[in-house]
Every structure is written in C-alpha cells, then in structure tokens.
Amino acid sequence: MAKDKAPRRPRAESPKGFRDYFGAEVTERKAMLDAIAEVYHRYGFDPLETSAVETVGALGKFLPDIDRPNEGVFAWQEDAEGDKPGDWLALRYDLTAPLARVAAQYRNDIPSPYRRYAMGPVWRNEKPGPGRFRQFYQCDADTVGSGSVAADAEICAMLADTLEAVGIPRGDYIVRVNNRKVLNGVMEVAGVLDPTDPERFFAERGIVLRAIDKLDRLGTDGVRALLGEGRKDESGDFTKGAGLSPDQAEVVMGFMSAKRETGAATVARLHELAGGSAIGLEGVQELEMISELLAAQGYGPDRVEIDPSVVRGLGYYTGPVFEAELTFEILDEKGRKRQFGSVAGGGRYDDLVKRFTGQSVPATGVSIGVDRLLAALQAKGRAGDASAGPVVVTVMDRERMADYLAMAGDLRRAGIRAEVYLGNPKNFGNQLKYADKRGSPVAVIQGGDEAGRGTVVLKDLILGARIAEGASLEEWKARPAQQEVPRADLVAAVRAMLEQG
Amino acid sequence: MAKDKAPRRPRAESPKGFRDYFGAEVTERKAMLDAIAEVYHRYGFDPLETSAVETVGALGKFLPDIDRPNEGVFAWQEDAEGDKPGDWLALRYDLTAPLARVAAQYRNDIPSPYRRYAMGPVWRNEKPGPGRFRQFYQCDADTVGSGSVAADAEICAMLADTLEAVGIPRGDYIVRVNNRKVLNGVMEVAGVLDPTDPERFFAERGIVLRAIDKLDRLGTDGVRALLGEGRKDESGDFTKGAGLSPDQAEVVMGFMSAKRETGAATVARLHELAGGSAIGLEGVQELEMISELLAAQGYGPDRVEIDPSVVRGLGYYTGPVFEAELTFEILDEKGRKRQFGSVAGGGRYDDLVKRFTGQSVPATGVSIGVDRLLAALQAKGRAGDASAGPVVVTVMDRERMADYLAMAGDLRRAGIRAEVYLGNPKNFGNQLKYADKRGSPVAVIQGGDEAGRGTVVLKDLILGARIAEGASLEEWKARPAQQEVPRADLVAAVRAMLEQG
C-alpha cells in the first residue's frame, strides 16, 4: 500500500435531487407561509409541528419487507438493543401520515373536532428530474373528527381566502369541488358496484379509477378505451380495460363531462346520472349542500364551483374532493401560453386513524403545493421584494474601523439594513463590486478628507440599476450619482435616498 | 400458517427521542425565530436554507468505515446504480457543516465576505434523555471570508442586540469573549507548545484542552490534577494527566482566572501571562481590539466583556470565542435558585472550507440554542401569548349551519379568530367543553328564539378563567356572564368583550 496517499477531498456538492435556497428564495417562501398561516389561524386552525422522522410502522404505506423499506421513502434501521432489532425509521413523505399518528396518539387530549395546520419539508426517495426535488415544502390544513359537510365547505372557503391573501386576486383562481360518492353512484348505475356485495367488481373499479385519473394524459378516447376492452399505447404495449360495454362506459364518461353552466344545472345533471344509487344520491346532496353553505357566505361560482371533471385524488378520497387552479396564463419555457394549473388539492378521507385504533374517524383537509404557488406568484411578478440589499459602509482607512462600524450601527438603529465591508479593504473597486453583488442601494464612503471635514459621501447604487432598466437622461441628470453630507446627517440622507429609490 | 391472522396495528407513537409541538409551542418559537431573523437581516446577513440531507462525505466528521457511519448521525446508503455503490446520505447534525459545503460549492458566486444566517432543525443520533431530543432547532449567523476582528466584534454586538430583541433586557445577559490564541500563548509559556515544532507536545495539549473543557464539571482541583499527573474519579478510574509541573500548571490555571475588574485590567493580566509568546500576544491584541470596537459603538462591559474563564469551544475554535449567558436566576425543578446559564456560543474557525478546496478561508459565527432561549423566556414569563383561542360559534340548530358559518365569517373578516363547532351538535354541554379546551374567549349562541328575535347570545368564557385566577366578587358582578345582542352587532360586541378581557 502507498504510504503517503494524500487524503481525498470530499466533493462540495449537495446530494442528487436536493438543492439550496439563498436569500430572497428563503424570504419569499417565508412571507408566503406566514400569510397562509395567518388565514389558517384566523379560521381557528392550530399549528402542529411533528418531527421529520417517523417509525416506518407509523408511516404505514411503506412496510419493511425483505431488505429495507426504501420504496419511495428515505429509511434506515436503528441499531439493535441487545436481542431487540432496531426500529426502522424514515423521513416523512407527507404531512398527512404524521397527522394520522398524532390524532391516534393524542386522541384523549386534543380537542374534537381538531383543526390543525402544518407546514414544512417532506422527503421523497424518487428519481429527481428537472424542477423535481427530493425535499420540498407542503402546507396542510385538516379538520379531524367532523363528518359534517360544513367542514368541507369551510376548507373550500379558507382555500379561496388563502389564495387571495398570498396575492392571487379573485378571478385568477377557482376552487373546484367533486365527490367520490357521486362516482361510486355512477359506477353502481354502470353496473360495476354492487352495494349488496362490496367485493364484487373490485378489480373492474380499480381499472375505472386508474383510467379516470389518466384523463389529463390520455384524453377522453384513451379513457374510453380503458373503460372498455383496453388500450394499446404508442409503444405497442397493451393495457387491459375494465370490460365495460359502450353503454356502461358512456355513464362513466358522462360523469366527467357533467359540468353545466350553473351549479344547479350541474347538480341536476349529476342527479340524472347517479341519483338512482343511494350512495350517488348522498354524494349529489353533499355537493349541493357545500354549494349552498358557500353561497350563503358569499363564495359564489366565481370562487368555488362544482366540477365533476376534477378527477385527481378520486381514488384516494372517500367524499368531497377539492382542487384549486390558477386560471391565468403564463408563458412556458418555450414561450407558449398555458394555464398555470393546480396549486392545491384535498378532500375527505374518513379512515385516517383507523389503522392505529380500529376506529373510523372522519377527516377532511387540503394541501397547498407551496413551491408551485410561489412559482405562480413569481410568474405573475407578485412575489414580494424581500431581497433589498443592505447599505454598505466601505472601508477607506483600516485604522478607523470603529467609525465605520458606528455608521452601520446608526443606520441599523434607524431600522435601515446596513453592514460594513469586512473583506480586505485595499482595493476599493472590489468594495464597490461587493456592494453591487449584494444588491446594495447605497454605498457610504469616508476617506481621510471627508473625515477631516466631518462628512461622508453617499454613492447612489440604485441609479445604476435604474439606468440599466432604461431610466431617462433627465432622470439621470436630476439625480446626483453621489453626494457629500455631514456625518450627522448620514441616517436622514440615506433614508431620503432609499425613499427616492 | 393461520389463515385469518388479524393484521397487527402499528403503534401510534413518535420515534424514541422525537417529540411533537402543538399550538403555542409552535407559534412562540416562530415568533422568536422571526425576531432573531429581523436582527440578523438588519445586520446585512442573508438567509440560507440547505436541505436536511447531506452526503456523509460532505458532512465530514463521520466517515463510513466498515459497516455504516451511524455514530452520532442518522445515515443510510442510497441504492446502487448498476456497479456504482450508492452514496451514504445523512441528516445534518448542525448548520455549520452545510455552510462549509455551500461556501466551497458556490465559492465563485457568493459575495465575499459572505454573511449568512440559517435556522432550522438538526438531528443527532444519540441516546435521548429527559429534555434531550434527537431533533432540535439551531439558529446560526456566520461571516465567511473575513479575517478581520471587526467581524468578530460585529457578531458579539449582533448577539447582544438579538437577545434584547427577543425579550432579554440589558442586565439580564452578558456576552463573554475569550481567545484561543491567548491559550496557545499560555501553553507556549507553560512549555507545552513549541512554535518551531508544532507537532511536539501534541498529546499533552490535547489533554490540556480536554481538562480545561471540564472546568465546569470538575472544578479547579480536578482540572489541576488533569494538568499534572492525572485524576482518579469517584469510581476509582484513573485519567492520565498532561504531566505538567505545578509551576507549568499554575500558568494554565492562571489563564482561566485572569478576569479582573475592568477589561483593561484583564487585558493587562493576559499580557503578563501570554505576552511572552508571539501567538499569545496576537490573541491579547485581538481581545483588546474587539473590546475597543465594541466600546466605540456603545457596547460596554454591561453587555460584552472579556472573560478568560470562557473555556467551552476553545478546543474547536482558532481565535476569538464567544458565549452568551443569561445572568438572572430561575428556580430549577427542585425549587432551588440557579443561574440560567449559556444560550449561545460561537467563535472563529479558520479552516471551514479547507477540507473541500484545500484553501484556508477565515470564518466566524455564532449559534443560538433556540430551545434553551425559549425555555428561558418562558421561565421569565416573557414568551408571547400567541395562544389565544378562537371565538367558538356553537350550533343549536343543525339546519341553520349556513347562518353559523356566516357569523364566523363576519368575525374573521374583522380580523377576529373564529370557528364554528363542527362536531356532533346534539349535546350542547360538549360544545362548551370544546370551547373551553380550545381556550376560547367567547362562545356565540343562537337558538330558535334568538334567531326569531334577530339576536345572538355571547357567553363570556374569559370570565371563567378570571374567576379561576381569583377575580373579586365585584369584578364578577360587574361583568355579565352572558349578554344578548342584535345579530347586526355581533362583531362590535365580541370585539368589546375581547378588549375587556
């Protein structure tokens, strides 16, 4: 073996699929989360913060089989204690699984119904792709322990209020509501659900649910094929269908296109389609009630509407299903106009706690895709400008560092963000380059001459940005690039420059 | 095999050493982090949010050896890709290691000096104990790329401002500063550091550093023993000492007790002790300069002082070392008075990026122990009351849910936290119990009679709490337990009750 092998240096890289967030990326997201939390709080929801780590058993969906339970989650086994093998632990993959655990663990302590909100990162052990990361934020609000449709209506109203609070104006979004029970009714009418024998047609219903979920991707012809005999994709692979007759398939297809001009007309159409089934009728009535409760509070179809074409999550939820879509157009990476699309979704899932306690507990909730919503705000240019750089006090004379620190201190005490240049002060150009990199609006300069006169020079760095943005020559002339002011007027003069900017 | 084995239910438990935070626990911490971030921001520090997950190689301290690198960190190996074994990943154990990685990875993009702050959870794979959790918050500010003592002075001033911003008044805290270079000088004078041969006495210096670090626990006699021949503990175990003669040991002990009445006197004493060594002299001069820079900005010894008895971290840092202590007394769990102690610490560490790039980059920073600081504020009763419960609109008549939702909506639009009771409304007593559990200040009640009269009844629930706290009979009498007001006056009447509360 080589004796003096140089130690290998580690790569300075974040792990594949993870990224770092700098400056305004952090503050803009925080501002959005704060605005959301404020609305949730006003609705009576309480914050809950669980740890990032859960036992794999509590997470549920991903049980350890032979080797390790790493399908979709980041998981590891704790060290054994004596004979007892260590627990498998994992990073949470959403905020709902920890809520289920908490609702079971503290069922005697939490209020019932329990309204809680949670915001924070979740982790997915998936192949990363462009714009797809393995850690991302979720922001959820759920009501556990209420079976009332008023709880569903409340979530819809809160979702609308939340979107407006973060800066999406009314008209630029729509909360769409559908109901899994109506689909069940439709399946009963279509003959693939037998209320007297719930196990019958189980496989067929699975194919129907998966087919519906692919509406966006396959279009109506593709879904129709999957409802019938099956579908051959472009590669020639064949996916077996649910085996519905054309008439049966038509009932299911009719459900997804049941939306009419008004909510009342849509309800009437759904009644036609699914009213013959008890569960279907229940679903239609729930949609009607949600609609009425919301209308009574002024949440009309300009904000919340019944839309049976909402199919995402119908396989997962057990009652009402919600989706919030942004309706304005943005330009995609190829410059084509497209609608921004979905930023939040949720619904009712009544078996949340059952796996832990055996008892069914009704629950309903919504999850906001924080990063997508933030991207939408940025696309509309509505994200807050939380990124203003600090005033930079430059260092002309290393011996007078205390004076420069005092200037920054005075500015800060007046609430102005400020800092002293702390790199090597020899090259003054580097100091101005630094100020530029920091997005600094003003540089403060005091050499020996100014110190002797008791003054400071303020260099306007906003102006440079303005000129780059195309300020007129007049504006440029009317605005001195720099000015010398008495040291005692430092704070007032800087404030005036910031206000002008 | 048994055919109908019932599926085993998972335990609804958070993993050992992890905990959940509810309601005010979340909002109080958030309020504190917001206040800290505001100060950091004003000082020109920019937020940085790295992911929870790093490669074990980048984390550094814990390299994979034979099996798995789980000493102190939570780590796991990614799946192999073909022949290539998967990377070892781990949860970050502090916020400094990710900063080092970022400072190396983005060295051409970030400003230099780079002031950044970071706040968030870190994870330690350690045996949990009472009050010791395996996930906890840290809140760091660091300046990377400045070797100037002005950067150290700035951190000290910012730390003082931060403590005051979160609610620790001047006089209740002290930022203490020491310097590793002075200790090096002391070791040179004591004869266990040879500037011409840095490797010599390496083992002895290690023992000296470890001994000093145990001052709190072992007292001066214990440290003196470890500096000399060694020390036998209560169990009879013997720890080998550094082998210093009594005279040599006295020099080291003198360092730790060098604090005098004034900063100038302390500096003079340190000069006596370590001024004979070049590195020691440098350290003394740094302490003097930090002191001067701070004094010039008004940070006198009532807020920041030179204190050579600060020994924590001297083994890790390379220059100035800081520690913030809360000086007020609290009662411990046994009712005894004791000082609250340390809530933040930091210092200069000039080899941050070197492991990645080979280049030395100076850095200095501080880490605030968020949970300890929060506990201190709670002990002083100074944590904000962010926990006010919502106004609860009770449900007397299930058919008029829309009316109740509208009441809550009116209150919310006026900025008042409010919710409708969404449990089973049959038992009205349960609704009031719920309101009580929620910490609700006011319950709104509207039965059929009130609805007919166009009124609502407001029940004062603050009063109940007041009586429990010992309100006088007069106060009780002067305050109606409930009042009936026109529905149109709901918002105004509730607001009046909240203001009275």
Side-chain angles (χ1 to χ4, degrees), chain A residues 20-21 23 41 43-47 49 68 70 77 79 101 106 115 137 146 412 417 420 422 438, chain B residues 20-21 23 41 43-47 49 68 70 77 79 101 106 115 137 146 412 417 420 422 438:
Chain A
D20 303 301
Y21 295 84
H41 180 262
Y43 269 82
F45 285 68
D46 269 356
E49 188 171 329
R68 61 171 6 192
N70 58 1
Q77 190 169 21
D79 291 336
R101 195 257 306 152
Y106 304 93
R115 286 180 180 87
Y137 267 75
S146 173
R412 278 181 213 128
R417 193 178 188 209
V420 174
L422 289 181
R438 297 288 285 118
Chain B
D20 304 302
Y21 295 82
H41 181 263
Y43 268 83
F45 285 68
D46 269 356
E49 188 170 328
R68 62 169 10 186
N70 58 2
Q77 190 170 19
D79 290 337
R101 195 258 305 151
Y106 305 93
R115 287 180 179 88
Y137 268 75
S146 173
R412 278 181 212 130
R417 192 178 189 209
V420 174
L422 290 180
R438 298 287 286 117

Side-chain angles (χ1 to χ4, degrees), chain B residues 56-291:
Chain B
V56 165
L59 282 184
K61 226 157 143 191
F62 308 87
L63 290 165
D65 39 39
I66 304 146
D67 187 12
R68 62 169 10 186
N70 58 2
E71 286 307 309
V73 299
F74 291 106
W76 62 91
Q77 190 170 19
E78 292 231 77
D79 290 337
E81 280 183 41
D83 287 346
K84 203 176 146 258
D87 281 340
W88 276 94
L89 302 181
L91 294 179
R92 64 183 179 205
Y93 58 86
D94 70 5
L95 299 172
T96 305
L99 171 62
R101 195 258 305 151
V102 164
Q105 182 171 351
Y106 305 93
R107 60 188 176 279
N108 298 324
D109 305 311
I110 54 176
S112 177
Y114 177 48
R115 287 180 179 88
R116 88 87 180 77
Y117 71 85
M119 28 190 67
V122 301
W123 292 266
R124 303 272 169 93
N125 189 2
E126 290 167 352
K127 238 189 163 53
R132 256 176 71 127
F133 297 99
R134 303 207 284 175
Q135 171 176 327
F136 55 93
Y137 268 75
Q138 283 192 343
C139 178
D140 287 19
D142 296 84
T143 301
V144 180
S146 173
S148 165
V149 287
D152 301 295
E154 178 177 83
I155 295 277
C156 293
M158 189 167 73
L159 183 51
D161 285 5
T162 301
L163 292 174
E164 294 182 21
V166 302
I168 309 283
R170 208 167 296 179
D172 269 1
Y173 71 88
I174 186 80
V175 176
R176 304 187 303 147
V177 187
N178 196 0
N179 196 314
R180 167 62 190 267
K181 290 178 182 170
V182 179
L183 174 61
N184 281 357
V186 164
M187 293 210 270
E188 189 180 335
V189 170
V192 288
L193 177 66
D194 178 352
T196 65
D197 183 0
E199 292 304 309
R200 208 174 152 206
F201 305 121
F202 184 81
E204 286 81 357
R205 286 200 301 279
I207 297 174
V208 170
L209 282 170
R210 285 192 295 279
I212 282 178
D213 215 32
K214 289 177 186 160
L215 181 64
D216 277 358
R217 200 151 51 81
L218 303 183
T220 49
D221 286 351
V223 173
R224 205 184 299 264
L226 284 173
L227 293 177
E229 291 309 309
R231 179 177 173 274
K232 193 180 272 186
D233 66 18
E234 300 80 47
S235 73
D237 283 346
F238 185 76
T239 309
K240 192 175 169 302
L244 271 59
S245 72
D247 282 357
Q248 287 178 307
E250 216 44 53
V251 177
V252 176
M253 297 304 296
F255 165 65
M256 288 180 277
S257 58
K259 185 156 184 282
R260 296 292 177 266
E261 271 300 299
T262 67
T266 305
V267 165
R269 173 66 182 139
L270 289 174
H271 201 283
E272 274 171 38
L273 282 168
S277 140
I279 185 81
L281 189 60
E282 198 179 308
V284 175
Q285 284 167 344
E286 284 181 4
L287 283 176
E288 209 173 353
M289 270 196 287
I290 290 174
S291 215

Side-chain angles (χ1 to χ4, degrees), chain A residues 232-261:
Chain A
K232 193 180 275 188
D233 67 17
E234 300 78 49
S235 73
D237 283 344
F238 185 75
T239 308
K240 192 174 169 301
L244 271 59
S245 72
D247 282 359
Q248 287 179 308
E250 218 41 56
V251 176
V252 176
M253 297 303 297
F255 166 66
M256 290 180 278
S257 58
K259 185 155 185 285
R260 295 294 177 265
E261 271 299 299

